[in-house]
Amino acid sequence: MTERSCLAIILAAGEGTRMKSAVPKVLHKVGGMPMLGHVLEAATKAGARRLAVVIGPGAEAVSAYVKSAAPQAAVHVQAERLGTAHAVLAASSSITDSLKTGEADVIVLYGDTPLVTAETIGKIAKGLATSDVIFPGFRPADPSGYGRLIVDGRRVIAIREERDASPEERKIGTCWPGIAGFRGSSLLGMLKKVGKENARREYYLTQLVEIANRDGLSVGTLELDADEVAGVNSRQQLAHVEGIFQRRAREAAMAEGATLVAPKTVWFSYDTRLGRDVVVEPNVFFGPGVTVDNDVTIRANTYIEGTHIASGAIVGPFARLRPGTTIGKGAHIGNFVEAKNAQIEARAKVNHLAYVGDASVGAATNVGAGSITANYDGFDKHRTEIGANVSIGSNAVLVAPVIIGDGANVAAGSVITANVPADALAVARGRQENKAGWAKKYREHKGLVRNRKETKSS
Ligand code: UD1
Ligand code: MG
């Protein structure tokens, strides 16, 4: 009995010249994650048992990314960039390995088509039960740059690259999205027949359509949603794809029960999670790693990354929460407050112009306006631990490492360099002295001096 397995081969060796970038194209980010990561995730979710990524020579950054994002994936190097069919051949050892246990479905995906979903990959794999080869189509608003699908009735007979297409063929609105399905048993044989009789003198994967037809194989197709398979070759297309990603993320957040007062002004990352009855005011940016529990209000112009916010908290307006931060239940983070690697417990308040970095703030503690933790000594970072029910007066500097015990008070304007015991008052500033009548005398003296100057100069 033979088993069917699924191998996803992701092509990521292109130079991406049209991006005009020092960063490899597939590492450009959509929703805060490299495009290649989106494709790896979709293939994994679709149940691909093996993953293979084809990278270019010297693409250390890409191979390092694959190792961290999908350590189970095989990485193949395409020594020379001779085209997309040549790139798939670079992964031939993964194809042969997959065939060892029976028939292997091979799904080829392009690393520059990041919004493809697991459902679509699943549909293509399913289609391989009845067709030998599947080349889907889609109808982009602007087909320029894409290979055109040439059909005869329901049969796909060829894919013509824009550069090789006749003016008539260029009018075809159905294009190939850069995703295809093959049976592993026939793929390698077909790939070896690909020539480079085209405008770019490259081995095109799209030529497999004609080869499959010639070999008497059945070539199936299905239509995909244009937004899902938009490809990225330029910065303009990157922005277009980012726009689609954001629109979907906003819709999903609202469908899950969050209120976005002005959805178009809220920016999400691939892993942002908002709970129910979360209210997000305009102009909020969620960087990677943000989870927000139910009933949280995030007020306008707030920037959050790497942070967990527990239920009932209020954040912003104009707050900045940086990685490693947790905000406890019902805590308040106010305007112009920055927190980094800070654990702020339930009902604590840090409401105005404060910096809390590498610190913990206990439950129901209040950090006054303008207070900061001085966590950096020019060489190392140090922690500040503030207990529960503490009151830190305005404009205090807590010089880390330092511990403020539960229930303590720190006087406004203090520079705290030593631990403060629980329930103590710490005052660390010059003592105030009032000099009776001094100001009046000073004014009179200044008046005399000025009169003398005026008489001299007249
Ligand atoms: C390709 C298709 C086109 C399709 C479009 C969909 C071919 C010949 N053309 O065009 O029909 O409509 O995608 O977006 O396939 N790559 C390699 N090695 C190479 C060349 C490319 O790994 O030698 C990789 C790239 O990293 C990229 C993908 O293959 O992920 C496609 O290459 P790209 O140059 O972007 O092709 P398009 O011009 O977009
Ligand atoms: Mg492309």
PDB file of all heavy atoms in Angstrom, residues 214-241:
ATOM      1  N   ARG A 214       2.077  17.759 -23.070  1.00  0.00           N
ATOM      2  CA  ARG A 214       2.743  16.928 -24.078  1.00  0.00           C
ATOM      3  C   ARG A 214       2.907  15.495 -23.576  1.00  0.00           C
ATOM      4  O   ARG A 214       2.801  14.543 -24.320  1.00  0.00           O
ATOM      5  CB  ARG A 214       4.119  17.535 -24.398  1.00  0.00           C
ATOM      6  CG  ARG A 214       4.402  17.590 -25.891  1.00  0.00           C
ATOM      7  CD  ARG A 214       5.766  18.199 -26.155  1.00  0.00           C
ATOM      8  NE  ARG A 214       5.828  19.607 -25.777  1.00  0.00           N
ATOM      9  CZ  ARG A 214       6.898  20.196 -25.217  1.00  0.00           C
ATOM     10  NH1 ARG A 214       7.983  19.491 -24.921  1.00  0.00           N
ATOM     11  NH2 ARG A 214       6.873  21.467 -24.939  1.00  0.00           N
ATOM     12  N   ASP A 215       3.186  15.353 -22.279  1.00  0.00           N
ATOM     13  CA  ASP A 215       3.376  14.023 -21.695  1.00  0.00           C
ATOM     14  C   ASP A 215       2.056  13.299 -21.432  1.00  0.00           C
ATOM     15  O   ASP A 215       2.038  12.218 -20.849  1.00  0.00           O
ATOM     16  CB  ASP A 215       4.152  14.117 -20.367  1.00  0.00           C
ATOM     17  CG  ASP A 215       5.621  14.466 -20.580  1.00  0.00           C
ATOM     18  OD1 ASP A 215       6.040  14.540 -21.757  1.00  0.00           O
ATOM     19  OD2 ASP A 215       6.339  14.666 -19.577  1.00  0.00           O
ATOM     20  N   GLY A 216       0.950  13.937 -21.802  1.00  0.00           N
ATOM     21  CA  GLY A 216      -0.358  13.307 -21.619  1.00  0.00           C
ATOM     22  C   GLY A 216      -0.849  13.325 -20.179  1.00  0.00           C
ATOM     23  O   GLY A 216      -1.705  12.522 -19.803  1.00  0.00           O
ATOM     24  N   LEU A 217      -0.317  14.234 -19.370  1.00  0.00           N
ATOM     25  CA  LEU A 217      -0.794  14.342 -17.979  1.00  0.00           C
ATOM     26  C   LEU A 217      -1.967  15.319 -17.930  1.00  0.00           C
ATOM     27  O   LEU A 217      -2.084  16.208 -18.772  1.00  0.00           O
ATOM     28  CB  LEU A 217       0.339  14.835 -17.077  1.00  0.00           C
ATOM     29  CG  LEU A 217       1.584  13.952 -17.011  1.00  0.00           C
ATOM     30  CD1 LEU A 217       2.639  14.603 -16.131  1.00  0.00           C
ATOM     31  CD2 LEU A 217       1.243  12.566 -16.470  1.00  0.00           C
ATOM     32  N   SER A 218      -2.812  15.155 -16.903  1.00  0.00           N
ATOM     33  CA  SER A 218      -3.944  16.068 -16.792  1.00  0.00           C
ATOM     34  C   SER A 218      -3.525  17.302 -15.998  1.00  0.00           C
ATOM     35  O   SER A 218      -2.922  17.196 -14.930  1.00  0.00           O
ATOM     36  CB  SER A 218      -5.122  15.372 -16.111  1.00  0.00           C
ATOM     37  OG  SER A 218      -4.707  14.856 -14.869  1.00  0.00           O
ATOM     38  N   VAL A 219      -3.822  18.483 -16.544  1.00  0.00           N
ATOM     39  CA  VAL A 219      -3.460  19.742 -15.884  1.00  0.00           C
ATOM     40  C   VAL A 219      -4.740  20.414 -15.400  1.00  0.00           C
ATOM     41  O   VAL A 219      -5.525  20.911 -16.199  1.00  0.00           O
ATOM     42  CB  VAL A 219      -2.704  20.684 -16.856  1.00  0.00           C
ATOM     43  CG1 VAL A 219      -2.251  21.946 -16.122  1.00  0.00           C
ATOM     44  CG2 VAL A 219      -1.512  19.971 -17.477  1.00  0.00           C
ATOM     45  N   GLY A 220      -4.943  20.392 -14.099  1.00  0.00           N
ATOM     46  CA  GLY A 220      -6.159  20.983 -13.529  1.00  0.00           C
ATOM     47  C   GLY A 220      -5.914  22.423 -13.126  1.00  0.00           C
ATOM     48  O   GLY A 220      -4.763  22.882 -13.037  1.00  0.00           O
ATOM     49  N   THR A 221      -6.984  23.157 -12.883  1.00  0.00           N
ATOM     50  CA  THR A 221      -6.839  24.533 -12.402  1.00  0.00           C
ATOM     51  C   THR A 221      -7.974  24.868 -11.443  1.00  0.00           C
ATOM     52  O   THR A 221      -8.940  24.114 -11.331  1.00  0.00           O
ATOM     53  CB  THR A 221      -6.800  25.541 -13.581  1.00  0.00           C
ATOM     54  OG1 THR A 221      -6.452  26.829 -13.079  1.00  0.00           O
ATOM     55  CG2 THR A 221      -8.133  25.620 -14.319  1.00  0.00           C
ATOM     56  N   LEU A 222      -7.842  25.945 -10.727  1.00  0.00           N
ATOM     57  CA  LEU A 222      -8.926  26.471  -9.908  1.00  0.00           C
ATOM     58  C   LEU A 222      -8.661  27.950  -9.748  1.00  0.00           C
ATOM     59  O   LEU A 222      -7.521  28.393  -9.921  1.00  0.00           O
ATOM     60  CB  LEU A 222      -9.009  25.768  -8.534  1.00  0.00           C
ATOM     61  CG  LEU A 222      -7.837  25.870  -7.588  1.00  0.00           C
ATOM     62  CD1 LEU A 222      -8.340  25.923  -6.162  1.00  0.00           C
ATOM     63  CD2 LEU A 222      -6.926  24.676  -7.742  1.00  0.00           C
ATOM     64  N   GLU A 223      -9.727  28.719  -9.477  1.00  0.00           N
ATOM     65  CA  GLU A 223      -9.506  30.156  -9.394  1.00  0.00           C
ATOM     66  C   GLU A 223      -9.298  30.580  -7.952  1.00  0.00           C
ATOM     67  O   GLU A 223     -10.035  30.181  -7.049  1.00  0.00           O
ATOM     68  CB  GLU A 223     -10.671  30.933 -10.015  1.00  0.00           C
ATOM     69  CG  GLU A 223     -10.342  32.426 -10.008  1.00  0.00           C
ATOM     70  CD  GLU A 223     -11.256  33.284 -10.852  1.00  0.00           C
ATOM     71  OE1 GLU A 223     -11.864  32.764 -11.801  1.00  0.00           O
ATOM     72  OE2 GLU A 223     -11.344  34.491 -10.543  1.00  0.00           O
ATOM     73  N   LEU A 224      -8.259  31.370  -7.736  1.00  0.00           N
ATOM     74  CA  LEU A 224      -7.959  31.847  -6.387  1.00  0.00           C
ATOM     75  C   LEU A 224      -8.280  33.332  -6.264  1.00  0.00           C
ATOM     76  O   LEU A 224      -8.317  34.060  -7.256  1.00  0.00           O
ATOM     77  CB  LEU A 224      -6.485  31.596  -6.055  1.00  0.00           C
ATOM     78  CG  LEU A 224      -6.023  30.133  -6.122  1.00  0.00           C
ATOM     79  CD1 LEU A 224      -4.553  30.037  -5.776  1.00  0.00           C
ATOM     80  CD2 LEU A 224      -6.846  29.257  -5.176  1.00  0.00           C
ATOM     81  N   ASP A 225      -8.476  33.751  -5.021  1.00  0.00           N
ATOM     82  CA  ASP A 225      -8.796  35.140  -4.731  1.00  0.00           C
ATOM     83  C   ASP A 225      -7.572  36.024  -4.973  1.00  0.00           C
ATOM     84  O   ASP A 225      -6.480  35.738  -4.476  1.00  0.00           O
ATOM     85  CB  ASP A 225      -9.257  35.195  -3.263  1.00  0.00           C
ATOM     86  CG  ASP A 225      -9.400  36.602  -2.763  1.00  0.00           C
ATOM     87  OD1 ASP A 225      -9.937  37.418  -3.511  1.00  0.00           O
ATOM     88  OD2 ASP A 225      -8.953  36.881  -1.632  1.00  0.00           O
ATOM     89  N   ALA A 226      -7.778  37.096  -5.729  1.00  0.00           N
ATOM     90  CA  ALA A 226      -6.645  37.944  -6.124  1.00  0.00           C
ATOM     91  C   ALA A 226      -5.887  38.518  -4.925  1.00  0.00           C
ATOM     92  O   ALA A 226      -4.663  38.624  -4.943  1.00  0.00           O
ATOM     93  CB  ALA A 226      -7.125  39.069  -7.022  1.00  0.00           C
ATOM     94  N   ASP A 227      -6.600  38.875  -3.869  1.00  0.00           N
ATOM     95  CA  ASP A 227      -5.924  39.446  -2.704  1.00  0.00           C
ATOM     96  C   ASP A 227      -5.022  38.419  -2.030  1.00  0.00           C
ATOM     97  O   ASP A 227      -3.979  38.755  -1.477  1.00  0.00           O
ATOM     98  CB  ASP A 227      -6.960  39.913  -1.673  1.00  0.00           C
ATOM     99  CG  ASP A 227      -7.506  41.287  -2.035  1.00  0.00           C
ATOM    100  OD1 ASP A 227      -6.968  41.905  -2.981  1.00  0.00           O
ATOM    101  OD2 ASP A 227      -8.463  41.730  -1.383  1.00  0.00           O
ATOM    102  N   GLU A 228      -5.445  37.178  -2.061  1.00  0.00           N
ATOM    103  CA  GLU A 228      -4.686  36.147  -1.355  1.00  0.00           C
ATOM    104  C   GLU A 228      -3.344  35.844  -2.015  1.00  0.00           C
ATOM    105  O   GLU A 228      -2.397  35.433  -1.348  1.00  0.00           O
ATOM    106  CB  GLU A 228      -5.524  34.866  -1.287  1.00  0.00           C
ATOM    107  CG  GLU A 228      -4.808  33.761  -0.539  1.00  0.00           C
ATOM    108  CD  GLU A 228      -5.578  32.458  -0.510  1.00  0.00           C
ATOM    109  OE1 GLU A 228      -6.815  32.474  -0.646  1.00  0.00           O
ATOM    110  OE2 GLU A 228      -4.924  31.428  -0.343  1.00  0.00           O
ATOM    111  N   VAL A 229      -3.269  36.017  -3.320  1.00  0.00           N
ATOM    112  CA  VAL A 229      -2.059  35.565  -4.006  1.00  0.00           C
ATOM    113  C   VAL A 229      -1.276  36.701  -4.666  1.00  0.00           C
ATOM    114  O   VAL A 229      -0.444  36.462  -5.527  1.00  0.00           O
ATOM    115  CB  VAL A 229      -2.395  34.463  -5.036  1.00  0.00           C
ATOM    116  CG1 VAL A 229      -2.777  33.193  -4.318  1.00  0.00           C
ATOM    117  CG2 VAL A 229      -3.493  34.903  -5.987  1.00  0.00           C
ATOM    118  N   ALA A 230      -1.544  37.928  -4.206  1.00  0.00           N
ATOM    119  CA  ALA A 230      -0.784  39.058  -4.755  1.00  0.00           C
ATOM    120  C   ALA A 230       0.704  38.827  -4.489  1.00  0.00           C
ATOM    121  O   ALA A 230       1.094  38.473  -3.383  1.00  0.00           O
ATOM    122  CB  ALA A 230      -1.257  40.351  -4.100  1.00  0.00           C
ATOM    123  N   GLY A 231       1.519  38.993  -5.527  1.00  0.00           N
ATOM    124  CA  GLY A 231       2.962  38.769  -5.395  1.00  0.00           C
ATOM    125  C   GLY A 231       3.683  40.082  -5.139  1.00  0.00           C
ATOM    126  O   GLY A 231       3.191  41.165  -5.452  1.00  0.00           O
ATOM    127  N   VAL A 232       4.871  39.974  -4.547  1.00  0.00           N
ATOM    128  CA  VAL A 232       5.645  41.170  -4.222  1.00  0.00           C
ATOM    129  C   VAL A 232       6.964  41.170  -5.001  1.00  0.00           C
ATOM    130  O   VAL A 232       7.825  40.327  -4.769  1.00  0.00           O
ATOM    131  CB  VAL A 232       5.941  41.236  -2.704  1.00  0.00           C
ATOM    132  CG1 VAL A 232       6.852  42.413  -2.388  1.00  0.00           C
ATOM    133  CG2 VAL A 232       4.652  41.322  -1.913  1.00  0.00           C
ATOM    134  N   ASN A 233       7.076  42.105  -5.927  1.00  0.00           N
ATOM    135  CA  ASN A 233       8.339  42.267  -6.638  1.00  0.00           C
ATOM    136  C   ASN A 233       8.934  43.652  -6.430  1.00  0.00           C
ATOM    137  O   ASN A 233      10.081  43.895  -6.752  1.00  0.00           O
ATOM    138  CB  ASN A 233       8.137  42.038  -8.138  1.00  0.00           C
ATOM    139  CG  ASN A 233       7.679  40.620  -8.424  1.00  0.00           C
ATOM    140  OD1 ASN A 233       8.276  39.654  -7.949  1.00  0.00           O
ATOM    141  ND2 ASN A 233       6.600  40.485  -9.164  1.00  0.00           N
ATOM    142  N   SER A 234       8.108  44.564  -5.900  1.00  0.00           N
ATOM    143  CA  SER A 234       8.570  45.949  -5.741  1.00  0.00           C
ATOM    144  C   SER A 234       8.064  46.471  -4.396  1.00  0.00           C
ATOM    145  O   SER A 234       7.207  45.859  -3.759  1.00  0.00           O
ATOM    146  CB  SER A 234       7.986  46.815  -6.857  1.00  0.00           C
ATOM    147  OG  SER A 234       6.570  46.846  -6.738  1.00  0.00           O
ATOM    148  N   ARG A 235       8.579  47.616  -3.991  1.00  0.00           N
ATOM    149  CA  ARG A 235       8.119  48.226  -2.731  1.00  0.00           C
ATOM    150  C   ARG A 235       6.639  48.602  -2.821  1.00  0.00           C
ATOM    151  O   ARG A 235       5.917  48.542  -1.831  1.00  0.00           O
ATOM    152  CB  ARG A 235       8.916  49.490  -2.428  1.00  0.00           C
ATOM    153  CG  ARG A 235      10.397  49.286  -2.434  1.00  0.00           C
ATOM    154  CD  ARG A 235      10.906  48.881  -1.082  1.00  0.00           C
ATOM    155  NE  ARG A 235      12.349  48.749  -1.162  1.00  0.00           N
ATOM    156  CZ  ARG A 235      13.158  48.665  -0.121  1.00  0.00           C
ATOM    157  NH1 ARG A 235      12.673  48.679   1.092  1.00  0.00           N
ATOM    158  NH2 ARG A 235      14.442  48.538  -0.284  1.00  0.00           N
ATOM    159  N   GLN A 236       6.210  48.999  -4.035  1.00  0.00           N
ATOM    160  CA  GLN A 236       4.801  49.361  -4.192  1.00  0.00           C
ATOM    161  C   GLN A 236       3.926  48.138  -3.926  1.00  0.00           C
ATOM    162  O   GLN A 236       2.908  48.233  -3.247  1.00  0.00           O
ATOM    163  CB  GLN A 236       4.529  49.870  -5.620  1.00  0.00           C
ATOM    164  CG  GLN A 236       5.081  51.249  -5.907  1.00  0.00           C
ATOM    165  CD  GLN A 236       6.551  51.234  -6.315  1.00  0.00           C
ATOM    166  OE1 GLN A 236       7.273  50.253  -6.110  1.00  0.00           O
ATOM    167  NE2 GLN A 236       7.008  52.333  -6.864  1.00  0.00           N
ATOM    168  N   GLN A 237       4.349  46.991  -4.459  1.00  0.00           N
ATOM    169  CA  GLN A 237       3.558  45.769  -4.242  1.00  0.00           C
ATOM    170  C   GLN A 237       3.649  45.313  -2.791  1.00  0.00           C
ATOM    171  O   GLN A 237       2.701  44.753  -2.252  1.00  0.00           O
ATOM    172  CB  GLN A 237       4.028  44.666  -5.193  1.00  0.00           C
ATOM    173  CG  GLN A 237       3.576  44.934  -6.632  1.00  0.00           C
ATOM    174  CD  GLN A 237       4.181  43.951  -7.616  1.00  0.00           C
ATOM    175  OE1 GLN A 237       5.319  43.510  -7.442  1.00  0.00           O
ATOM    176  NE2 GLN A 237       3.436  43.623  -8.659  1.00  0.00           N
ATOM    177  N   LEU A 238       4.788  45.580  -2.150  1.00  0.00           N
ATOM    178  CA  LEU A 238       4.917  45.244  -0.715  1.00  0.00           C
ATOM    179  C   LEU A 238       3.879  46.044   0.081  1.00  0.00           C
ATOM    180  O   LEU A 238       3.186  45.507   0.956  1.00  0.00           O
ATOM    181  CB  LEU A 238       6.336  45.562  -0.231  1.00  0.00           C
ATOM    182  CG  LEU A 238       6.639  45.248   1.237  1.00  0.00           C
ATOM    183  CD1 LEU A 238       6.592  43.744   1.500  1.00  0.00           C
ATOM    184  CD2 LEU A 238       8.003  45.800   1.656  1.00  0.00           C
ATOM    185  N   ALA A 239       3.758  47.329  -0.256  1.00  0.00           N
ATOM    186  CA  ALA A 239       2.781  48.173   0.445  1.00  0.00           C
ATOM    187  C   ALA A 239       1.357  47.704   0.139  1.00  0.00           C
ATOM    188  O   ALA A 239       0.492  47.710   1.016  1.00  0.00           O
ATOM    189  CB  ALA A 239       2.964  49.634   0.037  1.00  0.00           C
ATOM    190  N   HIS A 240       1.125  47.261  -1.084  1.00  0.00           N
ATOM    191  CA  HIS A 240      -0.206  46.773  -1.472  1.00  0.00           C
ATOM    192  C   HIS A 240      -0.571  45.538  -0.635  1.00  0.00           C
ATOM    193  O   HIS A 240      -1.666  45.440  -0.071  1.00  0.00           O
ATOM    194  CB  HIS A 240      -0.188  46.436  -2.966  1.00  0.00           C
ATOM    195  CG  HIS A 240      -1.443  45.799  -3.462  1.00  0.00           C
ATOM    196  ND1 HIS A 240      -2.632  46.489  -3.561  1.00  0.00           N
ATOM    197  CD2 HIS A 240      -1.699  44.522  -3.863  1.00  0.00           C
ATOM    198  CE1 HIS A 240      -3.565  45.662  -4.008  1.00  0.00           C
ATOM    199  NE2 HIS A 240      -3.030  44.461  -4.190  1.00  0.00           N
ATOM    200  N   VAL A 241       0.388  44.617  -0.525  1.00  0.00           N
ATOM    201  CA  VAL A 241       0.155  43.378   0.233  1.00  0.00           C
ATOM    202  C   VAL A 241      -0.008  43.687   1.726  1.00  0.00           C
ATOM    203  O   VAL A 241      -0.864  43.128   2.402  1.00  0.00           O
ATOM    204  CB  VAL A 241       1.308  42.378  -0.052  1.00  0.00           C
ATOM    205  CG1 VAL A 241       1.359  41.284   0.979  1.00  0.00           C
ATOM    206  CG2 VAL A 241       1.129  41.774  -1.443  1.00  0.00           C
TER     207      VAL A 241
END
